Amino acid sequence: MSGASGTATALYGPGLDGNMMPALYEELRRAHGPVAPVSIAPGIDAWLVLGHRELLRLTREEQEFSHDPRRWSLLREGRVPADSPILPMVGWRPALLFTDGQQHRRMRTAVSDALAGINGHELRRSVRATAEELIAGFAAHGEADLVAAYARTLPMRVIAGLLGLDDRTGRELVNAVAGLVSATGGAGDASRRMGAILQGLIEEKRRARGDDIVSALLHHPARLTDEEVLHNLVVMFVAGNQTTVNWIATALRILLCDPALRSSLSGGHLSVDDALDLVLWRFPPTQNFPARYATRDMSFGGQDIRAGDMLILGLAAANADPEVLPADGSAVVGNRSHLAFGAGPHICPAQDPARLITRTAVDTIRHRLPDLELAVPEDELEWIKSPWSKGLGTLPVRFTSPQLPQGTPPPRTAEAPAPTWAHRNAVQPQARPH
């Protein structure tokens, strides 16, 4: 990489957690401008795109910035070790995330149609019922870790149900995904475990079609192969599960730690969606997202980029770009021009279901535990260590007066099958322009 050798800032390591990353982005912006040299693993240099305008160009211009990692010069030159922790995240797969042009459109059509088939009303009811089960499971204790007992568990159940998985297999898949995105030495094994689970699911749905996303992909007119279905499921699950976990946990943290925001929400001055968008501006669930690859030599963001260079989408840094924020640095209520879901042809196709899940999860716990409060000082909260994800490791809370509806069922056992949702002739949540 031109200009990066010897100056690249490490975006990995045991001391780097999600809470300290924003300060690092501002240091990089001051030192390098909107595009900065970084390393994402030992010996693996890349460019981090920090500028809002530059990130929009990166995501919209496929002719200059390809999604295909086979264009990556370090990979072509054999300079990426086979056991590199980054490889499971950026290695080529036959999935929409790694394709351009017609191939991308074919796969995205299938994925978008499968997601559009979700019955929004039934999904909302199911999320609320699951949320109330989880709350009932810890309500008598007067305290809980809302990451482990709520934010991490609820999306897993929901997405497992959308895929047609039972709870136990869904948990195994979540654990494999967590190992994949941690960018540690165990990422390769996690990737293999994830593939085995999904391959078994595909074989099952080939034998017996159901009302689930896997079946919808397998029988779509785009005629995806089993391999393409598997790898698109990997992309959907990796991108969807942890993002929703982080969004729920961060929204709850902000409500617990920001009295003004909580008061505005309780008083009706802000809607839950307004609060969720403020979270997406200030604390996007995915901080950085790999990757694009330059198709030619160019000057970009003040840097000399060479064909085959990797560029990382700095979603959190771009949201904090002073060029697009008001003078006081605050996000404007109702403004959805943030980049938390990306932009361009590859903008996240699952943002509406993710919003519905998150909104319902936050709204349900607010009403069931109205006196919820943080059980430790805010500066003692633990954050997961990942260059990609801004997520809480724990969110300990206490409360005294749970308000549970009569007849709330006890928590389901791990063996109980998760529900599936009807896909055909469904009423959809309203799509929101980004």
Side-chain angles (χ1 to χ4, degrees):
M1 286 176 54
S2 174
S5 179
T7 64
T9 299
L11 289 187
Y12 63 92
L16 205 63
D17 67 34
N19 198 38
M20 65 179 293
M21 297 290 272
L24 178 60
Y25 302 145
E26 296 315 305
E27 290 179 17
L28 290 171
R29 201 191 311 273
R30 287 192 296 270
H32 302 284
V35 178
V38 297
S39 59
I40 56 175
I44 308 297
D45 287 348
W47 299 102
L48 179 64
V49 180
L50 306 157
H52 192 278
R53 178 176 57 187
E54 287 75 15
L55 200 143
L56 285 177
R57 178 182 168 190
L58 181 74
T59 55
R60 291 172 175 173
E61 298 186 10
E62 288 186 318
Q63 296 301 314
E64 293 189 332
F65 304 105
S66 172
H67 292 74
D68 192 336
R70 292 172 296 187
R71 292 178 176 267
W72 186 19
S73 57
L74 293 185
L75 192 62
R76 290 201 317 267
E77 296 163 6
R79 295 162 58 191
V80 182
D83 61 350
S84 173
I86 192 61
L87 202 54
M89 285 284 288
V90 301
W92 184 83
R93 300 174 184 268
L96 76 170
L97 187 61
F98 305 100
T99 55
D100 302 309
Q102 181 58 39
Q103 269 292 82
H104 170 255
R105 288 190 289 273
R106 181 178 74 90
M107 293 186 191
R108 186 178 175 95
T109 297
V111 169
S112 296
D113 288 350
L115 292 170
I118 297 171
N119 184 321
H121 293 305
E122 183 60 29
L123 176 58
R124 184 181 297 106
R125 285 193 294 269
S126 298
V127 174
R128 183 176 293 113
T130 302
E132 289 176 345
E133 285 182 22
L134 294 173
I135 295 167
F138 57 74
H141 303 298
E143 60 182 13
D145 172 7
L146 291 188
V147 172
Y150 194 71
R152 189 180 294 150
T153 306
L154 192 150
M156 180 270 293
R157 283 195 180 181
V158 171
I159 297 176
L162 291 173
L163 296 180
L165 287 169
D166 59 51
D167 278 356
R168 175 183 291 173
T169 310
R171 269 202 314 277
E172 292 174 358
L173 187 58
V174 168
N175 291 336
V177 170
L180 177 67
V181 302
S182 65
T184 65
D189 180 63
S191 179
R192 287 185 289 273
R193 285 188 286 118
M194 178 175 59
I197 293 169
L198 292 175
Q199 183 60 50
L201 180 62
I202 289 168
E203 292 171 0
E204 176 188 333
K205 297 303 177 181
R206 279 288 187 200
R207 292 191 298 268
R209 180 174 181 172
D211 288 326
D212 52 69
I213 287 175
V214 180
S215 297
L217 289 174
L218 287 170
H219 298 91
H220 192 272
R223 304 180 69 85
L224 271 59
T225 67
D226 284 9
E227 185 182 27
E228 288 174 335
V229 170
L230 186 152
H231 289 289
N232 278 291
L233 288 173
V234 169
V235 169
M236 293 166 68
F237 201 85
V238 170
N241 180 73
Q242 191 61 48
T243 297
T244 309
V245 171
N246 292 349
W247 197 3
I248 293 171
T250 303
L252 293 174
R253 176 181 70 87
I254 295 302
L255 290 175
L256 290 168
C257 299
D258 189 332
L261 181 62
R262 188 170 184 170
S263 175
S264 294
L265 194 60
S266 300
H269 303 296
L270 279 181
S271 68
V272 174
D273 273 315
D274 290 334
L276 294 182
D277 279 311
L278 289 173
V279 170
L280 292 178
W281 268 108
R282 295 161 59 188
F283 310 101
T286 300
Q287 294 207 74
N288 303 304
F289 197 81
R292 303 291 191 270
Y293 307 90
T295 61
R296 63 176 180 84
D297 294 352
M298 69 181 79
S299 177
F300 178 57
Q303 303 286 1
D304 292 325
I305 309 297
R306 296 289 177 249
D309 279 359
M310 173 190 280
L311 299 101
I312 304 296
L313 284 68
L315 304 176
N319 275 356
D321 188 346
E323 295 291 328
V324 297
L325 292 179
D328 63 359
S330 64
V332 178
V333 174
N335 183 346
R336 290 192 175 173
S337 61
H338 58 73
L339 296 172
F341 294 116
H346 284 252
I347 192 170
C348 175
Q351 54 184 291
D352 284 329
R355 179 180 290 272
L356 188 153
I357 293 168
T358 303
R359 181 199 306 126
T360 306
V362 171
D363 220 24
T364 301
I365 202 166
R366 285 179 58 240
H367 286 92
R368 298 306 178 205
L369 302 175
D371 65 345
L372 198 66
E373 62 180 30
L374 201 60
V376 299
E378 184 180 3
D379 59 8
E380 292 183 12
L381 292 173
E382 297 178 6
W383 298 81
I384 62 174
K385 291 177 171 57
S386 169
W388 313 112
S389 181
K390 184 179 179 67
L392 283 167
T394 60
L395 185 61
V397 298
R398 54 179 172 249
F399 48 87
T400 59
S401 55
Q403 297 181 8
L404 299 177
Q406 290 187 349
T408 300
R412 286 186 285 128
T413 63
E415 290 75 19
T420 56
W421 285 269
H423 281 253
R424 304 294 175 256
N425 303 317
V427 178
Q428 305 305 319
Q430 291 298 309
R432 299 178 183 274
H434 201 305

